[in-house]
Amino acid sequence: MSEKKVKKKSKLTRNILIALVSAIILGLLLQSKAEILNEYIKPFGDIFLNLIKFIVTPIVFFSIIGGIVSMKDIKKVGEVGIFTIIYYFLTTSCAIVIGLGFANIFKRVFPVIATTNLEFEVGEKVSFMDTLVNIFPKNFLTPMVEANMLQIIVGAMIVGFSILLIKKESQDKAIGAVEVLNDIFMKAMELILSLSPIGVFCLLVPVIAENGAMIIGSLASVLLVAYLAYALHGLVVYSFTIKTLAKISPIQFFKGMAPAIMFAFSSASSVGTIPINIKCCEELGADHDVTSFVLPLGATINMDGTAIYQGVCAVFIASCYGIDLTLGQMVNIVLTATLASIGTAGVPGSGMIMLAMVLQSVGLPVEGIALVAGIDRIFDMGRTTLNITGDATAAIINTERLRRKGKIA
Ligand code: ASP
């Protein structure tokens, strides 16, 4: 990395950190002005998020096509895909076990909350077969318009593999065009990301002002348990995988990931964090073809933080209702929370909707979600941070594997 680039990056990291800290301080000081902050500061955060949403679909679409065509060999793409999915699945199962374990250890400190008069509307139940059918786009543009990441990934894979199968002359032209489009959107992304400190500040101040006082209330214990579990999973599981499978020092990894981590914490959106996550992983040495495939996939299907949250909240809600979960119910939670986290969209608040599915699967009252709904954003900031960190470990580990096998330089 050139010296100029390193300087630029550390300046951005420093500015995001300053924005984050000042947003927390100001938010706590201005708790009585939450409404005004929501009216006048949040819109600037929303503008920034709009720009991120604008850039994220072309980035994902073209970078996945770019990733496939530059790996050239179909077998190599398949190998990265299979390894990644197994890795995602194993780390998510580990996350939910940690979440459940922590919640059970600490459940005595959970308050018993009056459990009448709770209301929570359950959305329509989507069957497994419907979910499967919905992965495949039925229109070329709708996935982009709706930012349906899984459909965009499938569409990009079809186009990418088709480019590999057309005649050489057209293939070269297509690859050239994809590379140019990739460069254009990457540049646009860089411009938008340079606004991150302002975006982070404007997004976070109203959230802190609105929730600050509430955290001190009776929900502090469940939040603390969730954050402890997030931290344990991040610091122990990811440090272990990154150290053993990628031979990178965890300190170097977390330092390099700082901008993406702060961004995810403020935006609570894995999908919105894709661009900055790609940047951080590549600066840590991950290969562009790998990041452009593994990170969008991770932002869509790999949600370790969400899985932990679901485990902790399931135990919390059960204990508020005076219900003791059986071992069978816990196993059921591990399975459904792993699947639910795959189906969770990488946008703010979606994990809470999927919590309904987890509660239903073990026969817990879904209205219990109302107990934690008020502070969902605070849970969400932590779970999103963990979600994107897990995706990044997969990108770096995959790169290292391919390098060791001599498949990339
Ligand atoms: N906000 C999370 C994410 O974007 C998803 C969730 O709500 O759990 O990763």
Side-chain angles (χ1 to χ4, degrees):
M1 212 191 312
S2 71
E3 204 178 310
K4 211 168 126 204
K5 249 186 162 174
V6 174
K7 262 201 189 141
K8 219 166 119 193
K9 186 195 155 208
S10 60
K11 219 168 131 197
L12 184 68
T13 312
R14 192 199 58 202
N15 290 346
I16 299 181
L17 184 65
I18 294 173
L20 189 87
V21 174
S22 28
I24 294 176
I25 296 174
L26 212 71
L28 288 174
L29 290 175
L30 295 178
Q31 283 184 48
S32 56
K33 305 275 182 294
E35 236 169 75
I36 299 176
L37 295 174
N38 259 322
E39 200 166 330
Y40 295 104
I41 301 289
K42 189 171 167 281
F44 292 99
D46 290 341
I47 292 177
F48 175 66
L49 272 191
N50 284 352
L51 290 174
I52 292 278
K53 284 181 198 153
F54 153 76
I55 202 65
V56 86
T57 37
I59 287 273
V60 169
F61 188 69
F62 288 110
S63 63
I64 287 190
I65 298 179
I68 291 174
V69 295
S70 56
M71 283 203 226
K72 290 239 163 55
D73 148 19
I74 292 187
K75 251 172 57 201
K76 199 159 103 191
V77 183
E79 197 199 317
V80 171
I82 290 171
F83 177 86
T84 307
I85 289 173
I86 295 175
Y87 176 81
Y88 283 159
F89 190 77
L90 290 179
T91 49
T92 305
S93 317
C94 193
I96 174 74
V97 171
I98 290 180
L100 277 178
F102 260 64
N104 274 299
I105 295 171
F106 291 105
K107 79 175 173 208
R108 255 165 284 133
V109 299
F110 289 158
V112 178
I113 295 177
T115 47
T116 49
N117 299 329
L118 291 178
E119 269 179 47
F120 184 83
E121 283 229 6
V122 193
E124 228 176 275
K125 213 174 163 188
V126 185
S127 75
F128 174 74
M129 289 321 271
D130 287 340
T131 313
L132 188 70
V133 171
N134 284 338
I135 293 175
F136 298 90
K138 56 175 174 228
N139 177 299
F140 190 75
L141 295 178
T142 319
M144 313 265 180
V145 175
E146 292 175 352
N148 184 326
M149 285 302 148
L150 221 43
Q151 291 192 358
I152 294 177
I153 292 172
V154 171
M157 285 170 75
I158 295 173
V159 176
F161 285 125
S162 305
I163 293 177
L164 292 184
L165 297 172
I166 55 179
K167 65 175 192 291
K168 178 89 177 66
E169 202 184 302
S170 319
Q171 192 184 83
D172 289 344
K173 281 189 204 145
I175 293 179
V178 169
E179 277 169 1
V180 171
L181 285 164
N182 238 332
D183 285 351
I184 295 173
F185 287 115
M186 283 290 174
K187 191 44 135 193
M189 175 191 91
E190 214 176 280
L191 293 176
I192 295 172
L193 284 184
S194 63
L195 300 173
S196 324
I198 303 173
V200 162
F201 179 82
C202 297
L203 284 172
L204 209 53
V205 174
V207 173
I208 301 287
E210 208 171 289
N211 294 282
M214 229 192 290
I215 305 173
I216 305 158
S218 59
L219 291 164
S221 57
V222 60
L223 260 181
L224 194 71
V225 170
Y227 270 80
L228 280 176
Y230 295 154
L232 182 87
H233 188 73
L235 296 176
V236 176
V237 177
Y238 296 153
S239 294
F240 175 76
T241 58
I242 207 86
K243 178 92 196 136
T244 52
L245 300 174
K247 311 268 178 283
I248 287 189
S249 120
I251 295 177
Q252 185 194 349
F253 170 71
F254 285 109
K255 232 168 130 188
M257 282 297 292
I261 285 177
M262 289 188 280
F263 189 93
F265 185 76
S266 321
S267 67
S269 168
S270 295
V271 168
T273 311
I274 292 174
I276 197 161
N277 206 3
I278 291 181
K279 200 163 174 259
C280 290
C281 288
E282 289 176 12
E283 280 166 356
L284 277 165
D287 183 67
H288 180 70
D289 302 335
V290 174
T291 56
S292 53
F293 179 57
V294 167
L295 294 180
L297 186 69
T300 318
I301 66 164
N302 182 45
M303 308 264 168
D304 295 359
T306 305
I308 289 183
Y309 154 83
Q310 285 165 345
V312 170
C313 285
V315 175
F316 174 72
I317 291 168
S319 92
C320 285
Y321 279 86
I323 302 169
D324 252 330
L325 291 172
T326 62
L327 192 65
Q329 279 174 312
M330 302 254 200
V331 174
N332 208 340
I333 291 178
V334 172
L335 291 177
T336 24
T338 306
L339 291 179
S341 70
I342 295 174
T344 306
V347 294
S350 57
M352 192 177 76
I353 310 295
M354 298 310 273
L355 178 60
M357 175 176 140
V358 175
L359 296 179
Q360 262 174 342
S361 75
V362 285
L364 285 172
V366 175
E367 316 81 82
I369 292 184
L371 292 169
V372 285
I375 50 160
D376 184 62
R377 179 68 183 211
I378 311 282
F379 281 112
D380 202 358
M381 297 192 309
R383 60 184 194 244
T384 309
T385 303
L386 200 65
N387 291 345
I388 65 103
T389 311
D391 303 341
T393 59
I396 291 170
I397 290 168
N398 263 303
T399 302
E400 174 59 26
R401 279 181 60 248
L402 292 178
R403 278 210 180 108
R404 236 180 290 140
K405 290 184 176 173
K407 293 196 175 164
I408 48 173

